[in-house]
Amino acid sequence: MKELALMMVGAALVNNVILARFLGLCSFMGVTTRIDTAAGMGMATTFVITVSSMADWAVQHYLLDAYGLGFLRTVTFILVIASAVQFTEMTIRKVSPSLFQMLGIYLPLITTNCAVLGVALLLVEGKLSFLASTLFAFASAAGYSLVMIIFAGLRERLALAQVPRLFAGPPIGFIVASLLAMAFMGFSGISTG
């Protein structure tokens, strides 16, 4: 149980999908202008990553490995992810039309978000059990959401700050993102010995 908890903390903070693995940067820079939008995108992506990783684990173990079809892994995983995104999109449209409008084009683009596919592929490499895979996927997605919300809060503050004209807009966003990544990367350098 302790190993699972450490794995989850590591997936969320130490090996964060955005800040340590640099996956999902398109939505990271595109959707993080407001906290509510970033939180909505984070929740939608968390759901998609968790559900699609569970399905991808089953497809990998019971179909691809069983019949020697490993070469179809990427295509198969993308089909599973696309199905999860379609379900998520229909649900958000029905439950919260305003969030659906705010997320705009970024919601269907979760299908091509490399963070979603990256987590699924990391699970295959790790040869984890179903429970460990599910927890790893959820923790990775929670870390993704955490960083999205933190960065959105920072960008909201930056919108009100006096930033030199040369750095206004995306340049200051990239600078803040790099500082945030360095802060998260500091966790991986901690030695217990």
Side-chain angles (χ1 to χ4, degrees):
M1 190 62 156
K2 182 179 178 183
E3 294 83 20
L4 290 176
L6 289 173
M7 179 194 63
M8 289 179 71
V9 169
L13 299 177
V14 180
N15 294 314
N16 186 277
V17 176
I18 294 175
L19 298 177
R21 298 189 186 272
F22 305 111
L23 298 173
L25 294 177
C26 53
S27 59
F28 176 66
M29 291 305 290
V31 181
T32 55
T33 54
R34 295 179 45 198
I35 291 178
D36 55 348
T37 307
M41 182 66 157
M43 287 188 296
T45 306
T46 298
F47 178 78
V48 169
I49 287 176
T50 305
V51 168
S52 65
S53 292
M54 290 166 43
D56 287 338
W57 185 93
V59 166
Q60 178 68 36
H61 285 81
Y62 297 119
L63 181 67
L64 301 179
D65 285 347
Y67 295 103
L69 299 172
F71 62 93
L72 293 174
R73 178 180 301 131
T74 304
V75 173
T76 308
F77 284 8
I78 289 173
L79 287 173
V80 170
I81 291 166
S83 301
V85 169
Q86 281 298 108
F87 175 75
T88 305
E89 188 175 357
M90 289 186 307
T91 304
I92 290 175
R93 182 182 293 161
K94 188 91 160 163
V95 173
S96 178
S98 60
L99 179 60
F100 181 78
Q101 291 290 23
M102 281 191 297
L103 291 176
I105 188 66
Y106 291 102
L107 190 57
L109 286 178
I110 293 174
T111 303
T112 59
N113 188 334
C114 53
V116 180
L117 181 60
V119 169
L121 293 174
L122 284 170
L123 294 174
V124 172
E125 282 182 20
K127 306 240 187 262
L128 301 172
S129 68
F130 180 75
L131 176 63
S133 294
T134 303
L135 293 175
F136 178 85
F138 177 76
S140 294
Y144 174 91
S145 299
L146 173 69
V147 170
M148 293 280 284
I149 292 168
I150 289 171
F151 191 61
L154 292 171
R155 286 184 75 181
E156 281 186 358
R157 297 289 304 258
L158 283 172
L160 302 174
Q162 293 291 336
V163 177
R165 195 173 57 132
L166 180 64
F167 294 109
I172 194 68
F174 284 114
I175 291 168
V176 171
S178 66
L179 293 172
L180 194 58
M182 287 182 358
F184 270 73
M185 293 298 280
F187 288 124
S188 62
I190 296 173
S191 174
T192 57

